[in-house]
Amino acid sequence: MAAFQLLFPLLVTCVAASARAPRRLPACQVVQSDAFCSDLSLRSAPLDLPPGVQTLDLSRNHVQNLTRETLAFHSGLRRLNLRSNEIHFIQPGLFTDMADLKVLDLSRNHLHVLALSKVSLGPLTSVETLDLSSNQLYTGMTDYFLADSPSLEVLSLNGNSITKIAQSAFGGSPRLKKIGLHNNVILEIEGGAFDSLSNLTELDLSKNSITCITDFNLCNLKVLNLSKNSVELFQSVTSTDHYRLLSLDLSENKMSSFPLLPRNNRLEHLDVSRNRLQSVNDTGTPDEKTFLYHLRYLDMSYNHLKSLPECFFHCMGSLEVLNVSNNCISSFSIADERFLRTVKTINLGYNSLRSLTFGENTLQSLEELVLRGNDLATLDHGVFRQLPSIKHLQLRQNNLEICSSDRERQDAPGCVSFSSVPTLEILDLSDNQLRTLPADAFAGSPLKSLDLSLNPGLDMDRDSLLGLERSLVHLLLRENNISSLSTDLSSLTSLKHIDLSTNQLTAVPAWNRDSSIESLNLQNNHLVTLEYSTMLALEHSLKTLYMGSNPLSCCSNLDLLQMVQNSAVVVPDIETATCVHEEYSEPVNIEKVTWDMCHTSGVRYYAIAVAVIALVVVVASVLLVKCLQARKPQHRSFNA
């Protein structure tokens, strides 16, 4: 009886719980004829969806068995998204009645279980786009799925475990235009596997284990991605056929020689970066050479190239971007004006350059030249004046010396001139071990951006920036160990962004109301006081101010700190920007500094001073009185 009394409340609770209404799942979002039911922990489509639904998104749910009941008997769908479920069974013939279904996404499911039963996914009579990626499918499994897909144009098999592309793999999908096989384990492609696909224009075979392509013959293909494989050789068949290939990506492979491309090609984009190229052998008969008349972009970076003969470019009449950075090239020379006439960007960064020469009238279209990381020390002093269209020079991490006006007239060796380059807008000379910056160093060059950072001990002449008053917008002088600036920055009326961080400045450069400074970086200097009048002159234009890591005095910068706290100036490092207050053992965050912190202290010191003075006056008065009393004559009386 006692046990029953103990169990009775529990039984009542259980019965009550079972009688409650089932938990109502969140409703799908329905917009016109589109139903979005993703991420709702569903096992099937809700039964209350309106009729005539054309788009059904059931992604990121818990659907396991795909049947007509699962889809709530909606047969007029045009787009069905079942991505990221747990589907391992599909009712045979399910898609037969879906005559309007164009897009089907079954990615990230367990279709390898279904494939083991060798059951066809179709017929997919009208499906044009099919995604079967990340389903643990391996060789042969897709043959069943694609056996009856006559309308299929776009197919994704990315992220599976396919090791071999059989000759019959796509026999049931003759209209395929785009195939994605990225991130599989493909070792072999049987001959003729893609031959029947006359409409195929894009093929992604990246991130596989393919070792060679010896008979490339897909004339209609426009985009081929073979990056991140183990390709040692790429060779097309000898043919006079016209190839439509526009983009070929062979990056991150193991090729030691330049690919042998179709002679009659329209290739515009070629990437052979991160291979093992040691040379671009351009010898041989004209029939053996590769003609790249339409090539616009060529990337050969991160290889082992030691030289780059200009005859290599004899057939590249349309090249615009050339990237040969991170190689072992020791010299680069273009003497023939017929070569690289259209190139706009050349990247020679991080090589071993010792020589750089340009002939007269060469590289007429070159706008950007990257030479960073070459340790260049000696160049012809006027080498950059020979580039009539140059806008951007990247010379970071070299060892150049800038010519002064006097030395330039003497044609002195060992320095480079950056003056009188009428098109130059961006110049990076950071980390060049520059010791001096002579007067008129950039006169006649309308620079907009100048980076002189990471040149410790740089001595700037007062007129070193002469001629840049109306053009210079960005000036970087960080990490130069500068203690004071002799150069007058106030004359640079177009200057908007200046970086003076990580120096030894003890005073802010003088600016006036004509300045246009919007961003000022003063971090990590030796600034105790920021001249308020100078900062006030910038208030009308200044938008961003970095001022952390300085030994600022709280009470000597009260007006400035109040301006920062109350104005629209943004201080990104305000949480770490501090000042020193003599009554606090630790630096004070500038946001917490108030007028009273210094005003009250001043009043107290004033009161103490007054008290001390008063005490001195009182003591002095007492001593004076006693002294006077001591000197007063005394009257004596005599009795006869």
Side-chain angles (χ1 to χ4, degrees), residues 300-320:
M300 296 191 294
S301 61
Y302 292 93
N303 277 284
H304 306 301
L305 297 174
K306 295 182 179 180
S307 63
L308 201 60
E310 63 178 321
C311 58
F312 173 67
F313 305 108
H314 76 285
C315 63
M316 300 182 190
S318 303
L319 192 65
E320 296 180 1

Side-chain angles (χ1 to χ4, degrees), residues 137-139 161-165 184-189:
L137 301 173
Y138 52 83
T139 303
S161 301
I162 301 170
T163 59
K164 178 181 177 181
I165 305 297
N184 277 272
V185 203
I186 298 173
L187 292 163
E188 180 184 356
I189 301 175

Side-chain angles (χ1 to χ4, degrees), residues 158-231:
N158 300 330
N160 283 291
S161 301
I162 301 170
T163 59
K164 178 181 177 181
I165 305 297
Q167 186 177 12
S168 59
F170 308 108
S173 309
R175 295 181 60 183
L176 276 171
K177 295 181 179 179
K178 179 179 178 180
I179 301 176
L181 286 160
H182 166 78
N183 194 20
N184 277 272
V185 203
I186 298 173
L187 292 163
E188 180 184 356
I189 301 175
E190 283 191 358
F194 302 105
D195 288 357
S196 62
L197 305 177
S198 59
N199 296 319
L200 186 64
T201 58
E202 187 170 343
L203 178 59
D204 187 354
L205 289 165
S206 60
K207 202 173 182 182
N208 280 284
S209 302
I210 301 169
T211 57
C212 65
I213 302 291
T214 57
D215 54 354
F216 177 70
N217 63 347
L218 301 178
C219 296
N220 293 320
L221 200 64
K222 292 184 178 181
V223 178
L224 175 58
N225 190 345
L226 280 164
S227 64
K228 298 181 180 179
N229 277 274
S230 299
V231 176

Side-chain angles (χ1 to χ4, degrees), residues 269-288:
H269 185 288
L270 177 59
D271 190 344
V272 289
S273 63
R274 299 182 185 275
N275 275 274
R276 301 174 180 176
L277 300 181
Q278 297 182 7
S279 65
V280 286
N281 190 0
D282 199 55
T283 60
T285 65
D287 291 337
E288 295 172 337

Side-chain angles (χ1 to χ4, degrees), residues 61-342:
N61 281 290
H62 301 304
V63 178
Q64 295 182 353
N65 298 315
L66 190 58
T67 64
R68 291 182 178 85
E69 291 80 2
T70 305
L71 300 178
F73 298 98
H74 289 281
S75 58
L77 297 172
R78 293 180 62 85
R79 293 168 292 275
L80 177 59
N81 187 351
L82 292 159
R83 178 184 178 86
S84 297
N85 276 277
E86 301 161 15
I87 300 171
H88 58 267
F89 172 78
I90 298 177
Q91 182 178 352
L94 174 64
F95 303 110
T96 303
D97 298 329
M98 296 186 182
D100 297 323
L101 187 63
K102 301 294 183 184
V103 180
L104 176 59
D105 190 341
L106 289 166
S107 61
R108 297 190 178 277
N109 280 282
H110 304 311
L111 295 186
H112 67 290
V113 177
L114 178 65
L116 290 172
S117 63
K118 298 185 178 181
V119 176
S120 174
L121 190 65
L124 302 175
T125 54
S126 60
V127 174
E128 296 176 354
T129 301
L130 175 63
D131 193 341
L132 296 173
S133 59
S134 300
N135 268 288
Q136 303 176 55
L137 301 173
Y138 52 83
T139 303
M141 286 186 168
T142 57
D143 296 8
Y144 307 113
F145 290 168
L146 307 175
D148 196 359
S149 308
S151 301
L152 196 58
E153 296 181 354
V154 180
L155 172 65
S156 176
L157 292 167
N158 300 330
N160 283 291
S161 301
I162 301 170
T163 59
K164 178 181 177 181
I165 305 297
Q167 186 177 12
S168 59
F170 308 108
S173 309
R175 295 181 60 183
L176 276 171
K177 295 181 179 179
K178 179 179 178 180
I179 301 176
L181 286 160
H182 166 78
N183 194 20
N184 277 272
V185 203
I186 298 173
L187 292 163
E188 180 184 356
I189 301 175
E190 283 191 358
F194 302 105
D195 288 357
S196 62
L197 305 177
S198 59
N199 296 319
L200 186 64
T201 58
E202 187 170 343
L203 178 59
D204 187 354
L205 289 165
S206 60
K207 202 173 182 182
N208 280 284
S209 302
I210 301 169
T211 57
C212 65
I213 302 291
T214 57
D215 54 354
F216 177 70
N217 63 347
L218 301 178
C219 296
N220 293 320
L221 200 64
K222 292 184 178 181
V223 178
L224 175 58
N225 190 345
L226 280 164
S227 64
K228 298 181 180 179
N229 277 274
S230 299
V231 176
E232 298 179 4
L233 178 67
F234 183 94
Q235 184 173 340
S236 58
V237 296
T238 302
S239 171
T240 58
D241 294 339
H242 290 271
Y243 283 72
R244 301 173 63 190
L245 191 64
L246 299 176
S247 176
L248 174 59
D249 191 344
L250 288 164
S251 61
E252 297 189 53
N253 280 285
K254 300 179 180 180
M255 295 189 303
S256 58
S257 59
F258 200 76
L260 183 57
L261 302 168
R263 182 175 179 84
N264 296 323
N265 67 79
R266 298 191 60 83
L267 197 63
E268 296 181 358
H269 185 288
L270 177 59
D271 190 344
V272 289
S273 63
R274 299 182 185 275
N275 275 274
R276 301 174 180 176
L277 300 181
Q278 297 182 7
S279 65
V280 286
N281 190 0
D282 199 55
T283 60
T285 65
D287 291 337
E288 295 172 337
K289 292 183 179 181
T290 300
F291 291 85
L292 296 168
Y293 293 119
H294 303 279
L295 193 65
R296 297 180 181 273
Y297 177 94
L298 175 59
D299 190 345
M300 296 191 294
S301 61
Y302 292 93
N303 277 284
H304 306 301
L305 297 174
K306 295 182 179 180
S307 63
L308 201 60
E310 63 178 321
C311 58
F312 173 67
F313 305 108
H314 76 285
C315 63
M316 300 182 190
S318 303
L319 192 65
E320 296 180 1
V321 178
L322 172 63
N323 187 355
V324 286
S325 63
N326 293 275
N327 278 280
C328 309
I329 300 171
S330 58
S331 66
F332 183 80
S333 174
I334 299 294
D336 193 327
E337 63 182 69
R338 295 174 300 171
F339 299 148
L340 298 180
R341 289 180 301 175
T342 57

Side-chain angles (χ1 to χ4, degrees), residues 1-17 20:
M1 185 67 179
F4 177 76
Q5 289 177 341
L6 291 172
L7 290 173
F8 181 74
L10 182 60
L11 291 171
V12 171
T13 302
C14 291
V15 171
R20 290 179 190 153

Side-chain angles (χ1 to χ4, degrees), residues 469-481:
E469 293 82 2
R470 297 182 180 276
S471 65
L472 195 62
V473 177
H474 298 263
L475 176 61
L476 289 82
L477 291 167
R478 68 182 188 278
E479 297 186 51
N480 281 328
N481 291 336

Side-chain angles (χ1 to χ4, degrees), residues 423-436:
T423 57
L424 189 59
E425 297 180 354
I426 302 173
L427 176 59
D428 187 347
L429 285 167
S430 60
D431 200 2
N432 261 273
Q433 302 183 47
L434 292 175
R435 291 292 177 264
T436 60

